Amino acid sequence: MRKHSKRNSISIALSVVVASSMFVACSKVNTGAPSETGTAKTTATPSAAAGQYPISTQDTLTSWEQIDTNLASFVPNLAESPFGKRLESETGVKVKYTHPADGQSKDQFNLLIASNNLPDVIEYNWGGGGAAAYPGGPEKAITDKVILPLNDLIDKNAPNLKKLLQQDKELDKMIKTDNGTYYAFPMIRPDNGLVFRGPMIRKDWLDELNLQVPTTIDEWYTVLKAFKEKKGATAPFSAQYSNELNIQDAFIGAYKTANRFYIDDQGKVKYGPIDPQFKDALALLHKWYAEGLLDKDFALNTDSKSLDTKLMSDASGATVGLLSGGMGRWMDTGKKKNPKFQLVAAPYPTLNKGERAFIGQRDFKYNPAASKAVSGDSKHAELAVKWMDYAYSPKGSMLFNFGIEGESYTMDNGVPKFSEKITKDPKYNLQQMVTQYTKPNGPFLGDSRKSFNTFKEQDEAIKIWEQTDAVKHVMPLFLTPTAEESKELAKLNTAITSYKEEMFVKFVMGKEPIDKFDDYVKRIKEMGIDKVTQIYQGALDRYNKR
């Protein structure tokens, strides 16, 4: 059992990891598994065999997880939604959910872990690194007895997930640690759900000005200048600012670097912000800023409302944003005010015409940010695993992806289609309505037939944005540095990331001259960036050998 002192040390560790930029990536069934089974605390023995539902049990599970912000406008708790009620009836398991307040999940997670009263399952970022993840990663969480290793539990109680892992060695490699320990039930994206963000631009403006969708840096300059001079745009290009300018390496990638760690053509981990060519990217952004092409207030766009206002008021004509929550939402709102309003995807820009973009947004099939782990305190570990495994069954996958047949979807020649009840509600849009009947994020198997796209421009966007070499260069999100390495990363990355971003903003705004770039690089090296890169390289090498 955990001691109070152990929990206190965990709490201290959590408070240290404020802005660590650890990255972590992608899993093999029961080979090299540790001897710990994670079943010592299990007392519940449901009568139904694994894979058979509903389960006959009198036990109630407890789950700590975020509630979708759209769902929160309908019900205060997942258990009260049509999805939650149907999940209970189909699995036979009653679940009591606790939801952190919107925007406070990290702080409330820290408080939860520091307490001595954990729920049965916790949905959080157990393997994705970063400021919001468990410090030390999944191995440390298991060592701290905060979560259980799942190898034996999956082997005996989760036939649906086990089958998936046996069939998909790439996925199997992603969802375990270097020593072969499974630690969470994964959110699995379908192959067509990996690219969902990119550059977009006002096509109606381009048509009016007789301009083509820009593909190179020079073409973007021409277009943004025309937006400023001929359309009166005060912030021709704008984007949300969330700890950094949220452009997913658009424009920066044209210089064959990234505003983060990336993998070069030789398979080596590099820190983009100190690359010599990063100086050229900064010079470009500064030029655009100085000429009024890049939003002068870009660093103040810390929530979506600021960007929404600029795009909807014609102050901005281009951005980098999400497919559904961005392009779809803006098209929906924009067309109500101006029927000609049209956003289309632009390719990730390059320096030379016809080049393939070096990097862009591309995620992995395993999304560690919404994975569920069984807590070390759980007295119902077997039941929890059987309950979670339902999401990977054919019937469970339909519920998680499409909801309730006859209510939220119907079958059309064997293909599930969202019903008019969902797509044509007079008050709420598709994304809002669908949260009542499905689980947009969480541990389940995503279905490639599911689409929230309501405009043809969205379907086209995916095809355009995926034309990059991101698959070679994006760092996996689920590498597992050792506990000692993670401690070192937390200490070094927090300071490095903070300084890098402070200087990025100063360089772009001209508060620091670009010729100070070498001094900035020297300072980041003094702060220990080579050690950080070395740790990630070691973690990547171990991952590749799994």
Side-chain angles (χ1 to χ4, degrees):
M1 294 294 290
R2 271 182 317 285
K3 304 282 193 292
H4 282 270
S5 59
K6 167 69 82 176
R7 272 290 168 79
N8 289 340
S9 69
I10 296 168
S11 180
I12 292 165
L14 281 158
S15 66
V16 169
V17 190
V18 180
S20 164
S21 301
M22 193 180 103
F23 298 84
V24 205
C26 310
S27 169
K28 200 161 176 165
V29 174
N30 261 356
T31 55
S35 57
E36 283 184 276
T37 65
T39 56
K41 293 190 178 186
T42 304
T43 58
T45 33
S47 61
Q52 293 182 11
Y53 302 95
I55 299 167
S56 176
T57 179
Q58 298 302 309
D59 292 316
T60 296
L61 292 177
T62 50
S63 177
W64 188 96
E65 57 189 83
Q66 281 186 274
I67 187 171
D68 188 279
T69 50
N70 283 321
L71 177 59
S73 62
F74 295 101
V75 293
N77 195 279
L78 186 63
E80 297 174 38
S81 69
F83 168 83
K85 291 174 182 175
R86 181 56 65 99
L87 181 62
E88 180 180 331
S89 69
E90 289 188 3
T91 60
V93 181
K94 187 173 181 61
V95 181
K96 185 178 177 185
Y97 299 93
T98 301
H99 305 302
D102 184 35
Q104 295 179 34
S105 60
K106 180 187 163 191
D107 291 339
Q108 292 189 20
F109 173 80
N110 291 353
L111 291 171
L112 177 74
I113 299 302
S115 76
N116 279 313
N117 185 26
L118 297 182
D120 291 300
V121 295
I122 304 171
E123 185 176 304
Y124 199 64
N125 184 352
W126 290 106
Y134 189 86
E139 287 282 13
K140 184 72 164 60
I142 290 170
T143 302
D144 290 341
K145 303 283 196 287
V146 168
I147 63 175
L148 297 176
L150 297 176
N151 296 60
D152 282 5
L153 284 162
I154 289 172
D155 188 45
K156 293 170 184 171
N157 302 286
N160 296 302
L161 178 58
K162 181 180 174 180
K163 183 179 177 184
L164 279 175
L165 299 180
Q166 287 172 330
Q167 292 172 340
D168 189 339
K169 296 303 179 187
E170 184 193 3
L171 174 67
D172 183 72
K173 182 178 168 183
M174 291 178 182
I175 71 161
K176 62 188 175 192
T177 64
D178 292 329
N179 72 7
T181 304
Y182 298 115
Y183 55 89
F185 275 65
M187 176 176 173
I188 307 170
R189 294 188 179 99
D191 289 342
N192 63 351
L194 306 182
V195 175
F196 46 80
R197 185 196 297 267
M200 58 187 83
I201 194 161
R202 284 286 294 272
K203 179 69 162 58
D204 52 319
W205 286 9
L206 292 176
D207 291 345
E208 192 183 322
L209 299 167
N210 277 324
L211 293 167
Q212 298 298 310
V213 173
T215 63
T216 66
I217 294 294
D218 287 345
E219 288 172 359
W220 267 93
Y221 178 74
T222 300
V223 163
L224 294 178
K225 211 166 165 52
F227 282 3
K228 179 174 185 278
E229 293 168 358
K230 297 176 181 175
K231 292 302 299 177
T234 53
F237 179 87
S238 189
Q240 196 167 334
Y241 187 92
S242 178
N243 301 316
E244 65 176 37
L245 185 59
N246 205 359
I247 57 174
Q248 298 298 309
D249 297 321
F251 311 111
I252 293 170
Y255 298 91
K256 295 189 166 41
T257 183
N259 191 22
R260 64 202 77 249
F261 290 94
Y262 70 95
I263 300 170
D264 70 9
D265 288 331
Q266 285 70 49
K268 298 298 179 189
V269 175
K270 291 286 184 69
Y271 186 55
I274 59 170
D275 281 342
Q277 63 270 33
F278 197 81
K279 182 178 180 181
D280 298 328
L282 286 171
L284 172 83
L285 293 173
H286 169 62
K287 174 182 165 71
W288 286 5
Y289 180 87
E291 293 187 23
L293 308 183
L294 170 63
D295 186 355
K296 291 272 188 187
D297 298 321
F298 74 85
L300 301 178
N301 297 334
T302 53
D303 59 35
S304 61
K305 288 176 187 166
S306 309
L307 182 57
D308 290 352
T309 301
K310 283 167 184 168
L311 286 166
M312 293 304 106
S313 66
D314 295 344
S316 296
T319 188
V320 172
L322 292 166
L323 189 67
S324 293
M327 181 182 277
R329 191 164 55 84
W330 292 321
M331 287 271 281
D332 195 46
T333 308
K335 280 189 174 297
K336 285 172 185 168
K337 297 170 73 175
N338 170 12
K340 289 185 177 178
F341 184 98
Q342 186 185 21
L343 280 171
V344 296
Y348 276 85
T350 55
L351 281 182
N352 304 308
K353 196 86 175 165
E355 277 183 336
R356 187 172 172 88
F358 179 78
I359 199 166
Q361 181 272 323
R362 184 184 175 86
D363 261 291
F364 296 82
K365 64 175 73 177
Y366 167 42
N367 177 9
S371 51
K372 264 194 175 84
V374 180
S375 82
D377 282 351
S378 178
K379 294 181 173 59
H380 311 298
E382 286 184 13
L383 178 62
V385 166
K386 288 181 179 181
W387 173 69
M388 288 189 288
D389 192 52
Y390 182 70
Y392 305 93
S393 70
K395 196 175 176 186
S397 182
M398 290 300 290
L399 173 63
F400 275 74
N401 283 285
F402 300 103
I404 302 169
E405 187 172 4
E407 287 190 51
S408 57
Y409 78 95
T410 55
M411 297 302 291
D412 181 5
N413 290 324
V415 178
K417 302 278 188 188
F418 286 119
S419 64
E420 290 194 357
K421 177 178 182 178
I422 297 293
T423 60
K424 296 190 175 174
D425 185 88
K427 188 174 178 186
Y428 300 104
N429 64 30
L430 170 63
Q431 284 84 1
Q432 291 170 317
M433 287 297 292
V434 84
T435 58
Q436 297 181 80
Y437 294 91
T438 70
K439 199 167 191 308
N441 292 297
F444 63 91
L445 177 63
D447 193 310
S448 60
R449 299 170 298 178
K450 179 172 66 178
S451 173
F452 294 151
N453 295 351
T454 47
F455 298 96
K456 68 179 190 309
E457 289 86 350
Q458 291 171 284
D459 295 328
E460 288 299 314
I462 299 171
K463 298 172 193 169
I464 292 167
W465 293 337
E466 66 185 7
Q467 299 302 313
T468 74
D469 281 337
V471 71
K472 294 183 199 169
H473 298 128
V474 171
M475 273 271 287
L477 289 175
F478 28 87
L479 304 177
T480 51
T482 65
E484 199 54 44
E485 288 173 340
S486 294
K487 208 161 135 189
E488 186 92 3
L489 288 172
K491 186 175 69 177
L492 297 174
N493 264 337
T494 300
I496 289 170
T497 303
S498 176
Y499 175 69
K500 183 276 296 184
E501 195 50 35
E502 176 193 339
M503 292 302 291
F504 179 94
V505 172
K506 285 181 176 178
F507 282 136
V508 172
M509 290 184 171
K511 292 179 179 175
E512 283 283 354
I514 295 290
D515 59 18
K516 288 281 182 74
F517 183 79
D518 290 347
D519 294 340
Y520 147 85
V521 171
K522 185 182 174 199
R523 176 80 187 105
I524 287 184
K525 283 184 175 283
E526 288 168 353
M527 294 172 84
I529 193 62
D530 290 343
K531 178 66 177 170
V532 174
T533 305
Q534 183 187 346
I535 290 173
Y536 284 139
Q537 186 68 57
L540 179 65
D541 292 344
R542 292 194 303 270
Y543 169 74
N544 288 332
K545 287 176 185 169
R546 284 183 192 170

